[in-house]
Amino acid sequence: DVKVTQSSRYLVKRTGEKVFLECVQDMDHENMFWYRQDPGLGLRLIYFSYDVKMKEKGDIPEGYSVSREKKERFSLILESASTNQTSMYLCASSVNEKLFFGSGTQLSVL
Amino acid sequence: AQSVTQLGSHVSVSEGALVLLRCNYSSSVPPYLFWYVQYPNQGLQLLLKYTSAATLVKGINGFEAEFKKSETSFHLTKPSAHMSDAAEYFCAVRSGGSNYKLTFGKGTLLTVNP
């Protein structure tokens, strides 16, 4: 089975902190994605990557950056966390059209 | 740009009743359409997908969806609801290009009453 692992299930950070969310997949997928999920808004794409060191902005990239130094790992970075970034963050990898999701990281920014 | 609209943020059915979750899409090219399910405290998993083959698509757990171009719809159905079907369901459309980026709807929470 494909496994997408997000490093933390719950995370609490303070406003202004730099936050790293890590995601690792074990199936050699080229495509990886970061979404945030908010009640009533569904999933919104933050960034995606289709190859090592390649990245593209999604629909809501402001306040975020990403890093893909190795094929299996895709990191989401909040340079200076703000309270409006409190959310559930979902990482996914894909082969063809099928996405495989991690269990999510619930981030609270106080 | 492609988009999907899910009608109804919350649907409640009785166990054994028909499940109907609605999704309409907007696309300037023939779309690839998907339904994903999210069980409590889990990530999303693929239920089924339409990729321009048969218009009636069968998925896991007894779900199916029918692509209707004339109505720009891709509604999800199941003849008889089970308690274990309680979850949030997301319709999604694939954007153009080769990077397989999906755009998701806002989700429909399905509650199944005993």
Side-chain angles (χ1 to χ4, degrees):
Chain A
D1 276 354
V2 175
K3 195 158 187 180
V4 179
T5 303
Q6 295 184 231
S7 54
S8 303
R9 183 73 179 97
Y10 298 96
L11 211 52
V12 180
K13 295 293 182 180
R14 296 209 175 274
T15 303
E17 278 193 75
K18 190 169 186 175
V19 181
F20 292 86
L21 302 184
E22 306 287 347
C23 176
V24 177
Q25 51 99 358
D26 66 357
M27 281 303 292
D28 204 37
H29 290 167
E30 292 183 347
N31 302 314
M32 295 189 74
F33 307 81
W34 275 106
Y35 287 88
R36 65 176 281 177
Q37 182 179 12
D38 300 286
L41 297 179
L43 276 72
R44 293 178 291 166
L45 181 65
I46 304 171
Y47 267 97
F48 65 99
S49 168
Y50 49 89
D51 202 351
V52 174
K53 297 190 186 294
M54 305 300 288
K55 61 186 179 183
E56 282 196 29
K57 293 180 180 179
D59 301 316
I60 52 164
E62 297 78 19
Y64 303 94
S65 63
V66 290
S67 172
R68 185 119 182 250
E69 295 296 320
K70 293 184 178 181
K71 194 173 188 178
E72 67 270 18
R73 185 180 296 270
F74 191 36
S75 303
L76 180 68
I77 303 156
L78 287 65
E79 295 289 342
S80 177
S82 62
T83 54
N84 63 13
Q85 292 179 309
T86 290
S87 186
M88 171 67 79
Y89 290 87
L90 293 171
C91 174
S93 68
S94 78
V95 57
N96 299 324
E97 300 89 9
K98 183 174 181 179
L99 267 66
F100 296 86
F101 282 85
S103 297
T105 295
Q106 178 62 53
L107 173 66
S108 297
V109 182
L110 306 179
Chain B
Q2 295 167 306
S3 65
V4 290
T5 301
Q6 292 184 240
L7 301 176
S9 59
H10 188 192
V11 170
S12 183
V13 300
S14 298
E15 192 172 19
L18 171 72
V19 176
L20 171 61
L21 304 182
R22 299 176 187 274
C23 174
N24 288 88
Y25 69 90
S26 171
S27 175
S28 58
V29 298
Y32 284 18
L33 293 159
F34 307 82
W35 276 99
Y36 279 80
V37 61
Q38 185 179 33
Y39 298 104
N41 298 314
Q42 295 185 28
L44 281 72
Q45 56 182 281
L46 181 66
L47 261 182
L48 50 81
K49 64 179 181 180
Y50 167 76
T51 56
S52 76
T55 57
L56 183 63
V57 182
K58 294 188 183 298
I60 61 172
N61 301 336
F63 284 93
E64 62 182 35
E66 186 172 9
F67 174 72
K68 291 187 177 180
K69 185 177 179 181
S70 61
E71 299 177 7
T72 62
S73 69
F74 190 57
H75 301 332
L76 182 70
T77 60
K78 183 175 180 178
S80 177
H82 193 271
M83 297 295 289
S84 61
D85 295 326
E88 190 157 22
Y89 293 80
F90 294 90
C91 183
V93 62
R94 174 185 153 184
S95 303
S98 62
N99 49 47
Y100 306 112
K101 187 179 80 166
L102 297 189
T103 299
F104 286 84
K106 294 183 178 182
T108 298
L109 181 64
L110 175 67
T111 302
V112 181
N113 304 306

